[in-house]
Amino acid sequence: AEQMQASARSARDRGFLWRLSKDGRSAWLFGTIHVGRLDWIFPGPQLRAALTAADTLALEIDIIDPAIARQAAELSRAPADLPPWPAALRDRVARQVALACLPAQVLDGQHPVMQAMTLTVLAGRWDGLEAPFAQELVLSGMAKAQAKPLVSLESVALQMGVLIPADPAKAVALTDHTLAQLEQGKARSMLGRLARIWEQSDLDELTHYERWCECVDSADDRALLKRLNDDRNPKLAAGIDALHAQGKAVFAAVGALHM
């Protein structure tokens, strides 16, 4: 309780917030990251004012919606017809699970790509970055508490289709690459730096992400980033514009790299 009270008293603005004006109405666009700290769950003055003025919250997906959470869990599972993946890759995943202090079988049943991505997010815990403190979860909870409508700009199927390659060989290659980033410490370093940039609202440093992330070193890396990030932007933007056209005062929160 003391921690929560102290964090609430010291709440300040973080992240990237824009106000948009069109047709005589305002909307807000907020760039997030998908991990956080306890201190970050309390909105600062500008963020709080924007949330109060908005009547609708739009997220990539509302993961705390039980139906969406169930669908995400189902689509994260390895399909029954997935070819056996290399034993060496399974051993590397098992080692990362152990290093993350998780029960040995905790990720069993997940698609290999999702196992590697889950472990990447969990690497942030060594630096105090926790997925349950992500802004999307905080904002979703606030919207529900205030009885404000919450809209998902994407579907779970779309997100999973982007994250998991349909080609098994490409899925193995992506798992191998993601694990290598973990094993070399690059994933943790990148996540920590991204968190510092977000906390300090350093837009210039965010803009140069590809120069310092050590994650866009090849044509395959660039294609992956384009698929995960750039190619989703038109649908996200169209969804926000459609809500605004309906007369809603929309507060849209999506991953900061989409900016």
Side-chain angles (χ1 to χ4, degrees), residues 118-160:
T118 298
L119 289 164
T120 296
V121 173
L122 291 176
R125 294 183 307 157
W126 296 106
D127 301 305
L129 298 168
E130 300 278 358
F133 294 148
Q135 289 294 299
E136 288 81 2
L137 296 175
V138 173
L139 293 170
S140 181
M142 292 176 65
K144 286 177 168 52
Q146 297 171 14
K148 291 188 178 184
L150 201 162
V151 177
S152 293
L153 297 169
E154 296 181 315
S155 67
V156 178
L158 183 149
Q159 284 204 350
M160 290 301 172

Side-chain angles (χ1 to χ4, degrees), residues 1-252:
E2 290 80 6
Q3 276 185 295
M4 296 288 281
Q5 291 165 6
S7 296
R9 286 194 299 270
S10 62
R12 64 179 179 82
D13 287 300
R14 302 175 175 89
F16 305 94
L17 179 66
W18 288 265
R19 178 177 173 177
L20 303 86
S21 296
K22 182 180 179 182
D23 300 330
R25 296 191 307 281
S26 292
W28 293 266
L29 185 61
F30 186 51
T32 68
I33 56 173
H34 303 319
V35 293
R37 306 182 194 278
L38 175 65
D39 289 349
W40 298 358
I41 72 172
F42 297 97
Q46 293 186 67
L47 183 59
R48 189 164 55 247
L51 288 167
T52 300
D55 58 33
T56 301
L57 174 65
L59 302 174
E60 293 174 28
I61 57 172
D62 177 17
I63 197 61
I64 71 171
D65 181 303
I68 290 177
R70 284 194 300 271
Q71 187 182 12
E74 182 61 32
L75 292 176
S76 297
R77 298 186 64 79
D81 59 352
L82 184 72
W85 46 310
L89 214 53
R90 293 199 302 269
D91 291 343
R92 290 167 66 195
V93 168
R95 173 162 173 74
Q96 291 301 318
V97 167
L99 290 172
C101 304
L102 298 173
Q105 285 79 38
V106 69
L107 300 181
D108 284 3
Q110 275 194 359
H111 193 288
V113 170
M114 293 308 300
Q115 292 187 35
M117 289 185 176
T118 298
L119 289 164
T120 296
V121 173
L122 291 176
R125 294 183 307 157
W126 296 106
D127 301 305
L129 298 168
E130 300 278 358
F133 294 148
Q135 289 294 299
E136 288 81 2
L137 296 175
V138 173
L139 293 170
S140 181
M142 292 176 65
K144 286 177 168 52
Q146 297 171 14
K148 291 188 178 184
L150 201 162
V151 177
S152 293
L153 297 169
E154 296 181 315
S155 67
V156 178
L158 183 149
Q159 284 204 350
M160 290 301 172
V162 169
L163 291 172
I164 303 175
D167 183 340
K170 290 183 177 180
V172 167
L174 179 56
T175 304
D176 172 75
H177 178 72
T178 306
L179 288 173
Q181 295 277 316
L182 265 174
E183 292 159 347
Q184 296 164 17
K186 291 181 179 179
R188 176 180 169 186
S189 173
M190 183 274 290
L191 190 58
R193 184 166 181 175
L194 188 59
R196 289 192 296 274
I197 288 169
W198 185 87
E199 184 175 26
Q200 296 164 9
S201 305
D202 189 343
L203 187 59
D204 182 65
E205 189 75 356
L206 181 73
T207 301
H208 297 107
Y209 171 79
E210 293 183 32
R211 295 185 187 175
W212 55 257
C213 74
E214 297 185 87
C215 62
V216 194
D217 299 326
S218 68
D220 285 346
D221 291 344
R222 286 188 289 275
L224 175 63
L225 181 61
K226 182 176 182 293
R227 188 174 81 244
L228 292 176
N229 197 77
D230 302 25
D231 290 351
R232 292 165 55 202
N233 286 346
K235 181 174 176 58
L236 292 168
I240 296 166
D241 189 51
L243 290 169
H244 186 81
Q246 294 168 22
K248 300 183 185 303
V250 60
F251 183 101

